[in-house]
Amino acid sequence: MFYKKSKYGLLAITAILSILSTTPANASSFQPTPKQIQSTNTTVIVLNQEAKAEFERGVKLYKEGDLESAETAFRKAIELDSEFAEAYANLGSLLANQNNLSEAISQFENAVRLRPELAVLHYQLGVALYLENKRPEAVVSLTKARDLLKEQGKMEEAQKVEKAIEKIQAES
């Protein structure tokens, strides 16, 4: 689960597993950003491949239960490519799982900034914000996740997020 112990059953999620299981495919098709494409420096491409390798190593280490090494690998991937949204997301998930919500939120915000079209990123940010008792901000993020899911035709998932939003609003 996303959080080892959470009294917030309505938002206890498996986002860490979903991001870890879906992101390697994204990483395999990792493409340089427009900024990187504009660069004629071939070092950028090499760094991107190194970032991809560190990211994949982080996923493997996480699955093996070596959280400290996984965190180091995700941080290295970000250091090598500061626009690697999936690395920020996985680092955020790992930190949230360790109840370091403040830093997790920062990592999720970076991921959302870089890949605003990914509903899972908005969802993860919303959950972390909620658990930090930042309900209004959580509702904003979860609403964005719900809307993106609807746009993608994922109505069942969107409905689950809608129910979480309603429960948060009822608590306020």
Side-chain angles (χ1 to χ4, degrees), residues 30-39 44-45 48 81-85 114-115:
F30 182 62
Q31 297 295 318
T33 63
K35 180 175 107 179
Q36 293 162 335
I37 291 171
Q38 290 172 358
S39 173
V44 172
I45 301 301
N48 287 338
D81 184 350
S82 63
E83 295 186 17
F84 199 163
L114 293 167
R115 299 287 305 272

Side-chain angles (χ1 to χ4, degrees), residues 130-146:
Y130 173 76
L131 293 174
E132 275 286 281
N133 293 314
K134 297 181 178 180
R135 287 182 174 84
E137 296 94 331
V139 169
V140 169
S141 290
L142 293 171
T143 299
K144 182 65 177 172
R146 179 205 59 206

Side-chain angles (χ1 to χ4, degrees), residues 83-141:
E83 295 186 17
F84 199 163
E86 293 82 359
Y88 284 107
N90 280 13
L91 178 58
S93 293
L94 189 145
L95 293 167
N97 194 39
Q98 297 172 341
N99 292 319
N100 185 351
L101 293 172
S102 178
E103 188 178 354
I105 288 168
S106 176
Q107 300 302 329
F108 290 137
E109 288 171 338
N110 286 326
V112 165
R113 177 181 49 80
L114 293 167
R115 299 287 305 272
E117 75 281 5
L118 294 180
V120 67
L121 301 180
H122 292 278
Y123 183 76
Q124 289 177 305
L125 175 58
V127 170
L129 288 165
Y130 173 76
L131 293 174
E132 275 286 281
N133 293 314
K134 297 181 178 180
R135 287 182 174 84
E137 296 94 331
V139 169
V140 169
S141 290

Side-chain angles (χ1 to χ4, degrees), residues 15-25 55 58-59 62-63 74 90:
I16 182 71
L17 297 177
S18 70
I19 197 78
L20 289 175
S21 64
T22 59
T23 306
F55 173 83
V59 170
Y62 181 86
K63 288 180 178 179
F74 291 135
N90 280 13

Side-chain angles (χ1 to χ4, degrees), residues 1-6 8-18 62 93-94 96-98:
M1 291 188 68
F2 188 73
Y3 300 99
K4 291 178 184 173
K5 287 188 175 182
S6 173
Y8 306 108
L10 74 121
L11 290 176
I13 61 170
T14 58
I16 182 71
L17 297 177
S18 70
Y62 181 86
S93 293
L94 189 145
N97 194 39
Q98 297 172 341

